[in-house]
């Protein structure tokens, strides 16, 4: 076991070192080659400098563009092609996979759950982040509080799911409860239950995990936006007799509304792709299925590339317009 851990550590360290030095070597050698081909001297110095200025950015962007093409654009076309074929990607089946999707009960369940996640998680995470940003900026130990609120962002979704699975743990009658929720309910005179198996409520319990993680992200972005509001505006409102609540809702929130929208849509995109939490905590059972987990089930459990690709394309169709709107809004915020 120790040897395996050492081998994994060496492999990870080697990857980091090779990646960092590989990038440095690429940038240095590509610049060196460009300067050799288009030297900044001689009778064609003007032309060379102009061409070098056009080419140089693409030397830096080139590896990223290639990686995006291989790992993002190419899979889209492959998924589209597979969605019109059978489970092994060999026989053309036309729209059969799409007809199956429209009639599949699990897809309907995942669609309803994703819609519920979209309503609850972005709204509450953004709201809690905004409240945390506003309150922590008004107290002396605000930076310490922000650190604790942001800390869940450093935890992977799987790690967070494992932590919260212990919170929701249920041991059964006659056994001491180690789950925080079960212990709390029992201490208050209630009856502990297998919380993650309770239809309806279990989806909300899963949402709590993502809200817990994303609140820190929302807080950091919105805190920076709040600090960007001119002090003169706030001082003028105070002199005019505005209360702190009036200043917050009538001055601060309207001025950072664009940032709030960007945060909300960013979390929305994360919600549409939510997978790790559901897989780790319930595996989509007891009415908690979501689209990303459904895609995983068909691809790696049922070995049906056609149906899995069809679900993947639905997820992409839902994410893309929100992502485009998010980018445009963020660009307007930066330009404004």
């Amino acid at each position: 076991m120790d040897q395996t851990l050492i081998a994994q550590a060496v492999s990870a360290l080697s990857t980091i070192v090779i990646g960092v030095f590989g990038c440095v070597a690429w940038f240095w050698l590509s610049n060196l080659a460009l300067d050799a081909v288009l030297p900044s001297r001689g009778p064609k110095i003007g032309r060379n400098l102009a061409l070098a200025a056009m080419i140089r950015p693409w030397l830096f962007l080139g590896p990223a563009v290639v990686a995006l093409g291989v790992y993002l654009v190419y899979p889209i076309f492959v998924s589209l092609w597979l969605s019109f074929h059978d489970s092994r990607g060999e026989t053309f089946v036309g729209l059969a996979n799409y007809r199956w999707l429209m009639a599949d009960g699990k897809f309907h369940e995942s669609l309803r759950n994703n819609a519920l996640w979209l309503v609850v998680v972005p709204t509450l995470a953004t709201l809690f982040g905004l409240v945390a940003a506003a309150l922590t900026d008004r107290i002396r130990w605000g930076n310490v509080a922000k650190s604790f609120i942001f800390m869940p962002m450093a935890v992977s979704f799987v790690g967070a799911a494992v932590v919260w699975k212990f919170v929701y743990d249920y041991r059964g009658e006659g056994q001491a409860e180690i789950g925080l929720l079960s212990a709390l309910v029992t201490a208050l005179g209630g009856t502990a239950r297998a919380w993650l198996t309770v239809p309806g409520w279990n989806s909300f319990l899963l949402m709590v995990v993502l809200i817990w993680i994303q609140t820190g992200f929302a807080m950091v972005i919105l805190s920076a936006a709040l600090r960007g509001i001119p002090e003169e505006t706030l001082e003028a409102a105070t002199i005019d007799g505005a209360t702190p609540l009036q200043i917050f809702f009538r001055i601060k929130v309207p001025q950072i509304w664009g940032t709030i929208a960007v945060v909300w849509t960013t979390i929305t995109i994360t919600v549409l792709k939510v997978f790790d939490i559901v897989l780790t905590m319930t595996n989509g059972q007891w009415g908690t299925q979501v689209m990303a987990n459904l895609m995983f089930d068909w691809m790696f459990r049922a070995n049906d590339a056609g149906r899995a690709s069809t679900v993947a394309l639905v997820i992409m169709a839902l994410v893309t317009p929100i992502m485009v709107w998010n980018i445009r809004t963020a660009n307007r915020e930066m330009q404004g």
Side-chain angles (χ1 to χ4, degrees), residues 207-221:
M207 294 177 204
V208 168
V209 183
L210 191 54
I211 294 169
W212 179 67
I213 295 172
Q214 293 297 315
T215 295
F217 161 75
M219 177 198 65
V220 170
I221 304 300

Side-chain angles (χ1 to χ4, degrees), residues 327-336:
I327 293 171
R328 287 182 177 176
T329 304
N331 287 337
R332 284 199 301 267
E333 283 292 306
M334 289 187 290
Q335 292 170 2

Side-chain angles (χ1 to χ4, degrees), residues 164-218:
W164 280 89
K165 199 169 184 180
F166 280 111
V167 173
Y168 300 143
D169 186 76
Y170 172 70
R171 290 304 171 102
E173 295 183 12
Q175 300 186 52
E177 296 294 347
I178 66 168
L180 180 61
L181 181 58
S182 296
L184 183 61
V185 169
T186 304
L188 294 174
T191 303
R193 304 177 64 182
W195 305 105
L196 293 178
T197 66
V198 181
W201 286 105
N202 50 10
S203 290
F204 288 102
L205 295 177
L206 298 183
M207 294 177 204
V208 168
V209 183
L210 191 54
I211 294 169
W212 179 67
I213 295 172
Q214 293 297 315
T215 295
F217 161 75

Side-chain angles (χ1 to χ4, degrees), residues 145-158:
K146 284 181 180 178
S147 299
F148 282 111
I149 296 171
F150 185 76
M151 198 174 294
M153 281 293 296
V155 182
S156 69
F157 281 12
V158 172

Side-chain angles (χ1 to χ4, degrees), residues 111-125:
L111 205 57
R112 287 194 301 271
N113 285 332
N114 270 105
L116 188 62
W117 280 70
L118 286 174
V119 172
V120 175
V121 175
T123 303
L124 291 184

Side-chain angles (χ1 to χ4, degrees), residues 256-271:
I256 64 167
W257 188 251
T259 306
I260 293 174
V262 169
V263 169
W264 190 90
T265 52
T266 301
I267 298 174
T268 297
I269 293 170
T270 303
V271 169

